[in-house]
Amino acid sequence: MSDVIKDLSELRLSYEQGELHEAQVSDNPHLQFLNWFNHALTANLHEPYAMSLATANTQGRPHVRTVLLRGATEAGYDFYTNYDSQKGLDLLQNPVAELLFYWPSLERQVRIGGQVVKISEQESMDYYHKRPRDSQIAAHISTPQSGVIESRELLQQRFQNLQNQAQTDELDKPEFWGGYRLEADYYEFWQGRPNRLHDRLSYEKQNGLWSIQRLMP
């Protein structure tokens, strides 16, 4: 077993990939996001649609985890989960959240914040039935999500039992599972730069229009 690294102070990289200037970005932050997101897709990054989702309960205790972006429109940014999960409980109490996309090989990250609402039951059903069969089964048996289970073997047994029962029948979407949409009211685009003088541009809505500001690194 290798020794534990005790000093991380000398580990650093210099960011050299690009620049971010006000004259080069879209006035519409969603279009700017799509520009960067499509760049990440065409660069064949590993799961560029993976994003950190930060929520907090009414006591202000934050929770963060990685989820997958499953829709991106002017209306908002969609993800799916178990409504009884920790994230679902947080959003029930405090329906605001923030997303973070980080694409290290491009030296870019995007923060998107806003109110979160449930998407329609029909949209959730449509997406559920697009999922692979085993993912549909997993949604049924993994409840309450984040709840304690005695062993991996018990989880596997639950999965196998439902897999055997539902070999031919179409599975209905569980009532406790579905989608959320983050309705953005804040964006921040970050481009790494040399000497830690990073470019950061934020978008905030004022009187129905987006204003762009440069932030200190």
Side-chain angles (χ1 to χ4, degrees):
M1 187 182 213
S2 61
D3 292 338
V4 175
I5 297 174
K6 297 181 180 179
D7 183 5
L8 303 178
S9 62
E10 296 302 318
L11 299 180
R12 59 177 54 83
L13 295 173
S14 179
Y15 298 111
E16 311 280 351
Q17 292 292 320
E19 302 175 348
L20 184 60
H21 297 289
E22 290 85 340
Q24 298 172 341
V25 298
S26 173
D27 292 337
N28 182 319
H30 176 64
L31 296 182
Q32 180 61 34
F33 170 78
L34 292 181
N35 181 14
W36 273 22
F37 183 70
N38 288 330
H39 187 184
L41 285 175
T42 57
N44 293 318
L45 305 187
H46 178 69
E47 291 193 322
Y49 42 83
M51 57 189 185
S52 299
L53 168 68
T55 59
N57 61 22
T58 51
Q59 288 74 49
R61 185 180 181 92
H63 301 99
V64 63
R65 74 291 286 166
T66 301
V67 298
L68 301 181
L69 179 68
R70 286 304 183 223
T73 67
E74 289 276 5
Y77 301 86
D78 299 349
F79 60 93
Y80 293 82
T81 190
N82 187 311
Y83 292 142
D84 296 328
S85 64
Q86 181 64 63
K87 64 183 87 64
L89 297 177
D90 282 355
L91 291 171
L92 181 64
Q93 301 172 33
N94 182 25
V96 293
E98 187 159 294
L99 309 175
L100 173 68
F101 295 86
Y102 179 48
W103 302 307
S105 64
L106 301 178
E107 298 173 356
R108 287 175 172 175
Q109 70 177 17
V110 183
R111 293 171 51 201
I112 308 175
Q115 294 283 321
V116 180
V117 298
K118 284 184 178 179
I119 68 172
S120 71
E121 183 70 7
Q122 186 61 54
E123 287 175 289
S124 291
M125 287 177 58
D126 290 346
Y127 175 69
Y128 177 79
H129 290 296
K130 288 181 180 178
R131 303 180 90 208
R133 179 81 166 175
D134 285 352
S135 295
Q136 294 180 23
I137 293 172
H140 272 271
I141 61 99
S142 182
T143 190
Q145 193 179 61
S146 308
V148 175
I149 190 166
E150 294 177 11
S151 67
R152 173 75 186 186
E153 289 72 22
L154 179 57
L155 181 65
Q156 290 286 168
Q157 188 59 56
R158 287 186 180 182
F159 182 89
Q160 189 65 55
N161 289 344
L162 185 53
Q163 196 175 48
N164 292 340
Q165 292 171 21
Q167 289 183 0
T168 58
D169 297 337
E170 182 176 76
L171 287 171
D172 292 331
K173 181 189 77 64
E175 291 184 2
F176 53 77
W177 188 96
Y180 290 96
R181 177 168 296 143
L182 185 142
E183 299 174 336
D185 57 24
Y186 178 83
Y187 292 76
E188 184 192 309
F189 295 85
W190 178 96
Q191 177 72 59
R193 296 294 301 277
N195 304 315
R196 297 300 187 265
L197 297 179
H198 308 306
D199 287 327
R200 296 174 61 195
L201 298 182
S202 70
Y203 290 72
E204 291 189 76
K205 258 189 178 173
Q206 297 179 351
N207 299 319
L209 300 174
W210 290 101
S211 64
I212 303 176
Q213 293 181 309
R214 176 169 289 271
L215 305 179
M216 291 288 284

